[in-house]
Amino acid sequence: MFNKFVASLLPLFPKKFIWIFSKRYIAGETLDDALRVSKELNQEGVKVTLDVLGEFISSLDEAEKNKQEYLHVMKRMTEEKIDGNFSVKPSSFGLLIDEETCYRHIRELVARAASYDNFVRIDMEDSSCVDREIKLYKRLHAEFPQHVGLVFQAYMRRTFTDIEELTPLHSENKPLNFRLCKGIYVEPATIAYKDHDEINRYYLKDLEYILQHGFYVGIATHDPFLIEQAYQLLEKYHVPPTRYEFQMLYGVTPERRKSVVEKGHAMRVYVPFGKDWFGYSTRRLKENPKMTSYIIKALFNKK
Ligand SMILES: Cc1cc2nc3c(=O)[nH]c(=O)nc-3n(C[C@H](O)[C@H](O)[C@H](O)COP(=O)(O)OP(=O)(O)OC[C@H]3O[C@@H](n4cnc5c(N)ncnc54)[C@H](O)[C@@H]3O)c2cc1C
């Protein structure tokens, strides 16, 4: 309770102070930091997906700048032969300002990724973005079926139906490709499940449906129960390694990550980097309020 209260005050803490805890979740402020971390992860047999930090923007000039930054990231990743792909948040490309401009920017990124035989994952943002992000995915999947994917959040009441509705778009040559996560934004109970066990039940229902229908899936979770259940479903449906991977966030449960890799499953780590690290890290800290006890201890212990 106390930790939750402190977590809600996090945005008021001095930035420098939050950084002490954030650096665990962020590769660094620069692309060189992200490339270094990615190489280290590749050496552990783990692939990456790079995320340039930054979300909801207020002008379309920022969208253009963000696109240029991603194009540069793609070029460097390819030159450095990093085993990784790219995750994008459509709100950083103007999704809520001008959908068509956002589509054109992300289309350019997916086309560039396709020219490198690479892949762009569209992150799922809060509920104001869900319809638009599904629409964006459908358009891009029609043109670049092997090079673009979407995220679904198990906590949204609509998710199972959304996945069912996309099913007719799936075929051997045009595979649907989803990352399945629990969902991170604060949503009202009218549209999102709130109870931990209920979210897990729907996560497994969505996952089973995805595996039964042969879509590619990124099983994005650190939850040991879900990981264990996912192993069982993979076995039950004889899912080949070409159709799934596990995914975790940089800095979260590295030991659990190692144990999944040691069992022979493909693993991809989401590596965020960039100057806009503050929003991302306060969300991670709020998600895990136990972390705030470390903050409080450090406040009084300057050694
Ligand atoms: C690769 C990846 C991509 C994601 N993309 C999106 C997205 O596009 N949209 C979206 O809404 N959400 C996204 N998420 C976030 C996701 O929705 C969850 O909020 C987050 O993964 C925590 O859920 P969990 O499944 O790990 O389960 P939880 O029940 O939250 O956690 C399970 C266990 O994992 C450990 N753990 C979890 N979080 C932390 C933490 N911050 N610090 C330390 N330990 C922790 C703890 O041991 C905890 O008990 C993504 C997550 C991953 C892994």
Side-chain angles (χ1 to χ4, degrees):
M1 192 68 182
F2 179 66
N3 279 338
K4 272 205 169 144
F5 172 68
V6 177
S8 71
L9 298 179
L10 278 172
L12 307 176
F13 280 79
K15 252 184 146 177
K16 240 173 148 178
F17 189 67
I18 300 287
W19 176 245
I20 299 171
F21 301 91
S22 306
K23 45 182 194 205
R24 160 181 175 182
Y25 299 118
I26 314 277
E29 289 202 347
T30 67
L31 175 56
D32 282 333
D33 293 326
L35 294 173
R36 179 183 37 78
V37 163
S38 299
K39 280 181 192 163
E40 284 165 13
L41 287 162
N42 280 178
Q43 273 161 15
E44 280 176 35
V46 169
K47 301 169 208 278
V48 296
T49 183
L50 286 200
D51 169 49
V52 184
L53 288 169
E55 303 174 25
F56 299 88
I57 55 168
S58 51
S59 88
L60 289 176
D61 293 348
E62 290 174 71
E64 173 64 30
K65 196 180 114 272
N66 290 339
K67 179 187 68 190
Q68 293 302 338
E69 195 167 351
Y70 263 98
L71 289 173
H72 179 59
V73 170
M74 288 181 172
K75 183 168 177 282
R76 287 284 310 278
M77 279 265 288
T78 310
E79 283 167 0
E80 306 265 343
K81 299 188 171 39
I82 304 267
D83 190 353
N85 60 32
F86 314 94
S87 287
V88 297
K89 291 196 170 52
S91 66
S92 337
F93 300 94
L95 184 74
L96 299 179
I97 304 174
D98 178 350
E99 238 178 295
E100 200 52 33
T101 303
C102 173
Y103 164 74
R104 281 203 305 276
H105 284 316
I106 298 191
R107 188 198 167 279
E108 195 177 331
L109 294 181
V110 177
R112 183 67 59 87
S115 77
Y116 293 136
D117 198 19
N118 210 319
F119 180 88
V120 173
R121 171 83 55 195
I122 301 170
D123 282 354
M124 189 61 89
E125 300 176 86
D126 71 20
S127 53
S128 66
C129 300
V130 176
D131 280 326
R132 292 171 225 232
E133 288 175 352
I134 292 175
K135 202 164 127 202
L136 183 63
Y137 173 67
K138 277 162 114 174
R139 279 177 89 179
L140 292 167
H141 175 262
E143 195 180 358
F144 304 100
Q146 308 278 350
H147 303 284
V148 66
L150 184 66
V151 178
F152 278 108
Q153 300 152 322
Y155 71 179
M156 292 298 283
R157 292 178 188 271
R158 57 180 287 175
T159 288
F160 188 77
T161 313
D162 285 338
I163 297 175
E164 272 184 324
E165 281 175 7
L166 288 176
T167 304
L169 302 183
H170 177 77
S171 68
E172 204 58 33
N173 295 335
K174 293 190 159 199
L176 289 174
N177 188 321
F178 300 141
R179 171 195 298 152
L180 185 62
C181 66
K182 288 191 185 179
I184 182 83
Y185 301 88
V186 180
E187 301 288 0
T190 44
I191 58 168
Y193 304 110
K194 292 288 179 184
D195 176 68
H196 175 266
D197 292 349
E198 194 171 27
I199 296 171
N200 278 5
R201 256 199 324 280
Y202 280 95
Y203 189 104
L204 293 172
K205 184 179 174 194
D206 299 338
L207 180 61
E208 183 153 17
Y209 181 91
I210 290 171
L211 296 177
Q212 277 170 329
H213 287 81
F215 313 158
Y216 189 92
V217 65
I219 306 168
T221 183
H222 318 90
D223 186 327
F225 170 75
L226 287 184
I227 294 170
E228 212 40 63
Q229 296 292 310
Y231 291 155
Q232 292 184 23
L233 287 173
L234 291 169
E235 221 175 283
K236 180 173 169 190
Y237 293 105
H238 308 290
V239 183
T242 47
R243 276 220 249 108
Y244 77 93
E245 65 192 27
F246 283 85
Q247 298 186 349
M248 292 189 182
L249 299 173
Y250 178 64
V252 178
T253 63
E255 285 309 313
R256 218 165 280 160
R257 173 174 90 212
K258 208 165 149 218
S259 109
V260 175
V261 174
E262 280 169 2
K263 289 190 169 63
H265 300 282
M267 169 66 72
R268 186 181 303 277
V269 166
Y270 187 100
V271 177
F273 76 96
K275 294 210 182 321
D276 284 341
W277 51 267
F278 191 68
Y280 180 86
S281 3
T282 44
R283 270 215 308 275
R284 292 273 94 71
L285 290 168
K286 277 185 191 167
E287 178 184 49
N288 186 17
K290 274 189 212 143
M291 286 293 291
T292 54
S293 4
Y294 300 123
I295 298 190
I296 296 161
K297 276 184 201 143
L299 254 181
F300 295 103
N301 182 2
K302 302 281 186 208
K303 274 189 277 176

